[in-house]
Amino acid sequence: MPSENLMLIHDPERLARGERVLGAEFTAMHERVLAVTALTSRLNITPFEDEATKAALFEQILGRPLPAGVTIYPPFYTDHGLNLELAERVFVNQGCTFLDYAGIRLGRGVMIGPKATLITMSHPVDPGERREYLTGGPIDVAENVWIGAGATILPGVRIGRDAVIAAGAVVADDVPAASLVTGPKGAVHRSW
């Protein structure tokens, strides 16, 4: 994961004076999270057959209509939505979570199994810095990737074309094209 500071949590000038006041960028992100949480809550209780309402809610969440042939089965969770880029023919199964503030790109034909989680933001490991700022990086998933049920993709990961991420794998490192990744901490198991 990249170690660059993406966002200060508190206003540095006011923090220097002993005041714990949230910074402007963090506050804006927090407000977007609240708005999108309200939208996904509505989406997740919308009758499955009500395609018009689901399409309108997805457009508000993503800031644009779903691309042609994209299928997303609720429940669906995201914290930001505006930084989730979906290509044609993406399939997202039930219960998936996309924490997309730093950006998530899903290439054409990507398939994502139920309860998979893609996370672009984190906190520093150092306890003294943990509440000072957020770190992270974008996730880039190339064409025709299959991410299995319950897999977790961590900040800054790039997954190459035609790769398969096995169910339950935790992926913290880039994945080469045409590779199978397995295990509780995803490692390349084989390539073809």
Side-chain angles (χ1 to χ4, degrees):
M1 168 177 43
S3 61
E4 70 179 77
N5 305 350
L6 288 182
M7 179 189 309
L8 288 171
I9 294 173
H10 298 282
D11 181 304
E13 292 175 13
R14 296 184 78 175
L15 192 61
R17 295 192 305 258
E19 301 175 51
R20 292 180 59 90
V21 177
L22 297 177
E25 186 179 9
F26 188 86
T27 298
M29 179 190 74
H30 176 71
E31 289 170 0
R32 176 68 186 167
V33 168
L34 293 178
V36 170
T37 299
L39 291 168
T40 57
S41 294
R42 287 180 46 211
L43 173 73
N44 292 335
I45 62 168
T46 298
F48 186 74
E49 64 278 1
D50 188 349
E51 294 294 333
T53 300
K54 289 191 306 185
L57 287 166
F58 275 120
E59 187 168 345
Q60 290 176 35
I61 292 165
L62 302 174
R64 60 199 169 283
L66 286 176
V70 169
T71 301
I72 300 176
Y73 287 156
F76 167 83
Y77 306 98
T78 186
D79 66 341
H80 197 263
L82 299 176
N83 297 326
L84 179 56
E85 180 185 333
L86 306 169
E88 292 181 351
R89 294 186 44 236
V90 166
F91 174 81
V92 177
N93 214 321
Q94 298 177 12
C96 292
T97 301
F98 298 87
L99 304 183
D100 68 301
Y101 187 79
I104 296 173
R105 187 190 76 81
L106 302 179
R108 190 171 199 280
V110 167
M111 299 186 312
I112 300 182
K115 297 189 178 180
T117 302
L118 287 76
I119 304 168
T120 65
M121 299 292 284
S122 189
H123 294 271
V125 174
D126 183 294
E129 298 177 341
R130 210 170 284 160
R131 288 185 167 81
E132 290 180 17
Y133 57 90
L134 297 174
T135 63
I139 294 172
D140 186 30
V141 181
E143 294 75 20
N144 205 39
V145 168
W146 175 20
I147 298 174
T152 301
I153 314 300
L154 297 177
V157 167
R158 296 174 59 123
I159 300 174
R161 182 183 179 98
D162 297 324
V164 175
I165 310 301
V170 177
V171 182
D173 300 311
D174 289 351
V175 176
S179 299
L180 171 64
V181 175
T182 65
K185 192 231 180 239
V188 174
H189 184 70
R190 70 175 187 214
S191 295
W192 58 87

